[in-house]
Amino acid sequence: MNSSRHPDEPHVSPRRPLMLAWVTLLLIAVFYLLREHWGHVLGWWPYLLLMLCPLMHLLHGHAGHRPRHKRHHAENGR
C-alpha cells in the first residue's frame, strides 16, 4: 500500500522522454533540410495547397452540411 510516489504527482511514462527526443530530432532534421532546399520547396507550394483542399474537406466533420434548423437543435442539446 505504501507507494514512493505522492498521489497527486502525475505519472510520467518512461517512453515519454524518448518520444520527445525523437520528435525534437525530427524537427531539427526538417529545419535543416528545408533550410538547404528552400528553393526546391517553394516550387511545390501551389501543388501542396491544392492537395490539402480535398483532405481538409474530408476531415472537417461535415457539420455544415445539415439543414440550419437541425444544427440549431443539436447545438442546444435538443
Side-chain angles (χ1 to χ4, degrees):
M1 273 259 178
N2 207 356
S3 175
S4 63
R5 195 169 56 94
H6 192 270
D8 294 334
E9 221 175 90
H11 176 68
V12 177
S13 170
R15 293 179 56 194
R16 187 172 180 183
L18 183 62
M19 184 60 83
L20 288 174
W22 278 111
V23 168
T24 304
L25 185 64
L26 181 68
L27 286 174
I28 291 170
V30 167
F31 170 76
Y32 281 112
L33 185 68
L34 284 175
R35 188 174 152 225
E36 295 297 322
H37 299 283
W38 189 245
H40 304 295
V41 173
L42 284 179
W44 283 92
W45 278 118
Y47 302 110
L48 293 174
L49 287 174
L50 286 174
M51 289 189 311
L52 278 177
C53 290
L55 183 65
M56 289 172 52
H57 179 72
L58 290 173
L59 299 177
H60 84 284
H62 299 287
H65 293 289
R66 287 187 281 171
R68 186 178 191 142
H69 66 279
K70 288 184 181 179
R71 257 189 304 188
H72 178 70
H73 291 296
E75 290 171 356
N76 292 332
R78 294 184 212 163

